Amino acid sequence: MTQSKPQVQYREDYQAPHYWIDTLDLDIQLHDSATEVVAISRIRRNGEHSEDLVLDGEQLELLQVAVNGVETRQYQQTGNSLILSQLPPEFVLTIKTRINPAANTALEGLYKSGSAFCTQCEAQGFRRITYYLDRPDVLARFSTRITADAGLYPYLLSNGNRVGQGVLDDGRHWVQWQDPFPKPAYLFALVAGDFDVLRDRFTTHSGREVALEIYVDKGNLHRAGHAMDSLKASMAWDEQRCHLEYDLDIYMIVAVDFFNMGAMENKGLNVFNAKFVLADASTATDNDYLDIERVIGHEYFHNWTGNRVTCRDWFQLSLKEGLTVFRDQEFSSDLGSRTVNRIRNVRIIRGPQFAEDAGPMAHPIRPDAVIEMNNFYTLTVYEKGSEVIRMLHTLLGEQAFQRGLALYLQRHDGQAATCDDFVAAMSEASGRDLSRFKRWYGQSGTPVLTVTDHYDAEAGHYRLTVRQHTPPTRDQQEKLPLHIPLSLALYTEQGEPVPLMSGGRGIGPVLDVLEAEQSFLFEQVPSRPTPALLQGFSAPVKLHYDYGDEQLALLAKCCLDEFVRWDAVQMLVNKTVLEQVAQLQRQQQPALPRVLVDVFRATLEDATLDRALKAEMLTLPDLGSLLELFEQVDIELLDRVHQGLQQDLAVALRPLWRQAYEDNLTPEYRIEHQDMARRALKNVALGYLALAGEAERVERQYAAADNMTDTLAAMKAAVRADLAEREAMLADFEAKWRHDGLVLDNWFRLQATAPGAETLARVRELMRHPTFSLGNPNRVRALIGAFSAGNPVQFHRADGAGYDLLVEVLEQLNHSNPQVASRLVTPLIQSARLDEGRRHLIRVRLERLMALPDLSRDLFEKISKALA
Ligand code: B3K
Ligand code: ZN
């Protein structure tokens, strides 16, 4: 909590630490409310100076300090630091502290998740365990001795290898761990508890035998198999695609119920939100299975990109996160459908990431100024960061990219590196000038590409003119032209691709857009072509090109780039939405364009299309992404258009939805990509059929379902279409799953995102459900997060009651869990697209929060920016 006004840290102010810590020996005596930590470090002065040693520490009770074994009182304690002066060039520092894990509701540092102890140290949680140089450029060899009650905590885990253990007289036991790899404190982990353990092995390419262990709550062993398969698949993939091998003899994953985010890549001991570990057919959906594979992969890939080479300072976070997201996206794409993965990622960029760029928290993927680091684990740093890596991959090609990655890892192995180091390695390995490309790291905001064209029939010339412009963002007024890879193809009216010729020779599909305005001439173009622009979403930009409906229909049917086929449908939908909003504003009846129905029909009837892709093509953008089409818009009007469009498509194509439904029933449940694709398409069809009033079919699916994907799809269809059957299904589901929080989260989420004015009251009622708790981040996200971020119409009720609910929750979480509070506040600070009335309602409430006497740094940073 804030004592004084929170301070801004600037990237430019980076200074190497005054001291290095070479080794840290931890001795941790676990007790619920009085855990004692003895930390012995070998410290070395960095260069000649007489600076103090300033250690970070928060919420610690200091018991003893000794230098070279001699107890000392020559230290100062300020709010969050311990300062030692007049130190020798090298010395051993011993610090004894006491902490209270049971009272730690912030879930940062050492805390209790249910009956187990666990830790979360990234970004700055280690300072809640002991006084330390808690910064990522201080790398030490850790050894950790854990002592705890043997009955309650039979498993005592930490990083590295188990090197000793013993039993004590008082019913307690101990285990000693040694991590041979120097690491920053944020990668430290400790877990103590009683678990079921799933064990397996992996033999690496060079023959290292690795023990794989997944720790889950007792009784959940049967739900850990998919996580184990995903782990082995990740290890194999990293060897095959990136030639990277695992480096310890053991890899452990622990699933816990109380966790602020998805998972954490601690060296050799990942701690996971149980949501990303536990799965079986009866409790997990197809998407849950895919998410588990993705997150297990992500954390595993961090072992190289993040752990072996870490970040010099937290401003460089995207160095490990953007790169590791890129790696997990490639992993998922190699194992499943590349196009569908691409589409799902692009939906995130175009929806919430573009909204972040347009809001008060806009920042470059490498931020320049930070108050609370935890606020910068953002879609920009992660997802846009991955897009930046993907653009490098597009520009360099797979081979040069892999050479660059190898060079970067080999050059900086065991070090804390910067984004500049990464780009330098990529540039060296490929011979490409990336100087302009580097601007992506420092410039925030979403570039707009405006493309115009001219066809000269006589000469057979086609000229594209590309203008780029990045509108100012809240953090940065001036914007410079970026290096944008623009992938394109040209199509004839018959849908045939035209070979790209320029300067008398064939050229590749990727144009280097470098200037504010640039034009590209294509020769030997037989007729006026339709350009397929931004193939594969080759850059995270907004594209403006004045496509005619027929051109979009052509691309949707014929384009060889599957992403563009999907995108053409999206553009057609966007055009329709813009048109219909205008019609409603003119008090006209919105019209359903023939061409849209035709494209949907052609998509449904296309027997060659992958079913998962079909499902994506037939799914409209969500309201959040549609909001991004407008400078400002009446959200209820937009929602009416969105709902009406789905309704119209449901009715217009009803026989085809029925057929898609019938054709894609899967007789038995298998986790297999073909079957998942069938279910995806079938359930999209079910959604439309529900809107067309086919309640009986929805009920039948709910009753017959033998898997969570189909159960939830039926329940969702009923809720979205507001079918009378929905209450019975919801009641049945609750009775079945009320004791399983993870499963019940689906039930909370569904009700929180239900249309209708009664939703708010329902959410309030659900907050009193016995399985709901404000102390569990998963529950909070499923109910409160889903309502405020996933139900824009009800959250932005004109009476402000949606805002009041969120503010009440924030006031509580501000004390108990500032990180979770800070995530939840997002929809309140991204109000730019809303009307004046709502913005006023929001402002009043943000001002109230701002006036809280003990506002956390996390909320302070976001709210003060929103109010500025
Ligand atoms: N590195 C962690 C995120 C830590 C978030 C701290 N607030 C998980 C991940 O990105 O893999
Ligand atoms: Zn990560």
Side-chain angles (χ1 to χ4, degrees), residues 120 122-123 261 263-265 298-299 302 320-321 374 377 382 819:
Q120 171 54 37
E122 189 178 0
M261 64 270 169
M264 179 62 212
E265 70 263 25
H298 181 97
E299 306 312 330
H302 266 315
K320 75 177 176 80
E321 295 305 345
N374 286 321
Y377 288 75
Y382 274 62
Q819 259 187 69

Side-chain angles (χ1 to χ4, degrees), residues 326 329 342-343 345-346 349-350 354 383-396 437 440 447 449 451 466 482-489 508-513 532-543 561 563-564 566-567:
F326 172 76
Q329 290 177 353
R342 193 68 193 123
I343 289 168
N345 297 330
V346 171
I349 293 283
R350 280 193 180 147
F354 282 2
E383 307 297 323
K384 184 177 177 185
S386 166
E387 293 300 314
V388 171
I389 304 292
R390 183 170 298 283
M391 287 190 284
L392 274 176
H393 186 268
T394 302
L395 291 171
L396 270 55
F437 185 83
W440 280 104
L449 274 195
V451 179
V466 184
L482 298 164
H483 184 171
I484 298 174
L486 175 62
S487 172
L488 90 169
V510 181
L511 306 179
D512 287 286
V513 176
L533 297 166
L534 211 65
Q535 298 189 103
F537 198 63
S538 61
V541 300
K542 290 189 179 175
L543 172 71
D561 182 283
F563 173 81
V564 171
W566 169 81
D567 205 17

Side-chain angles (χ1 to χ4, degrees), residues 392-462:
L392 274 176
H393 186 268
T394 302
L395 291 171
L396 270 55
E398 168 73 4
Q399 283 193 358
F401 180 89
Q402 290 296 347
R403 281 202 306 277
L405 179 62
L407 178 61
Y408 160 72
L409 292 175
Q410 168 238 312
R411 183 179 281 171
H412 298 287
D413 192 6
Q415 296 175 4
T418 63
C419 298
D420 287 342
D421 294 331
F422 180 79
V423 179
M426 284 289 158
S427 177
E428 263 181 68
S430 65
R432 285 211 53 155
D433 175 4
L434 297 173
S435 46
R436 178 149 298 189
F437 185 83
K438 276 174 77 167
R439 288 182 182 168
W440 280 104
Y441 283 89
Q443 187 161 295
S444 55
T446 307
V448 179
L449 274 195
T450 307
V451 179
T452 52
D453 56 358
H454 176 77
Y455 180 63
D456 177 345
E458 215 149 289
H461 283 178
Y462 179 66

